[in-house]
Amino acid sequence: MLESASFEPCRAKMEAEGISQSAISAFESTFTSLVSGETGMISESSISPVEEIAKADSLDIDSPDIELLSSTVVLKLNGGLGTGMGLDKAKSLLEVKGKDNFLDLTAKQVMKMRESY
């Protein structure tokens, strides 16, 4: 594959454009997956539907099990690139609060959760 491809030219260009470090890190992760040959595809035969989901109002949220956080996954589905809206970049890179974009806010939410628990 493209295993000899270096991310450094991409990083330099993104930094020169003022792209946030969290966005650069996210892109680097995707770049690394691409050059290693990963497809990101999950075969349908390897998954199964959830048989039963508890209703939120039946959960005991007054005493959460903090130990479960070590195995918690945060999955954000941000949709398409925004080209249908006339954007020239991914919607997740739009500034939404100060200089923070959606990726920054997601990272900050996870970091806050880790600090709090």
Side-chain angles (χ1 to χ4, degrees):
M1 269 284 143
L2 303 170
E3 292 168 4
S4 63
S6 171
F7 183 73
E8 292 313 308
C10 296
R11 177 187 310 284
K13 187 171 183 177
M14 294 173 85
E15 287 174 349
E17 291 293 324
I19 304 296
S20 70
Q21 190 56 49
S22 61
I24 293 172
S25 295
F27 189 80
E28 181 177 16
S29 175
T30 302
F31 178 91
T32 302
S33 295
L34 173 68
V35 298
S36 71
E38 292 181 33
T39 65
M41 300 297 290
I42 300 172
S43 67
E44 189 171 348
S45 63
S46 71
I47 60 174
S48 58
V50 174
E51 294 181 19
E52 184 177 331
I53 297 178
K55 301 271 187 198
D57 58 0
S58 72
L59 300 176
D60 181 12
I61 57 173
D62 292 331
S63 57
D65 185 350
I66 308 263
E67 295 297 316
L68 294 175
L69 290 176
S70 65
S71 61
T72 298
V73 174
V74 176
L75 177 65
K76 293 282 189 168
L77 302 175
N78 293 325
L81 294 175
T83 53
M85 298 168 49
L87 300 176
D88 61 351
K89 60 184 174 183
K91 292 182 298 221
S92 58
L93 297 178
L94 291 175
E95 291 181 0
V96 291
K97 184 175 182 186
K99 291 285 187 180
D100 289 341
N101 58 43
F102 285 109
L103 291 175
D104 295 324
L105 294 178
T106 299
K108 286 180 178 183
Q109 288 171 339
V110 172
M111 291 182 337
K112 180 64 177 172
M113 179 186 68
R114 288 179 178 169
E115 288 172 10
S116 299
Y117 301 102

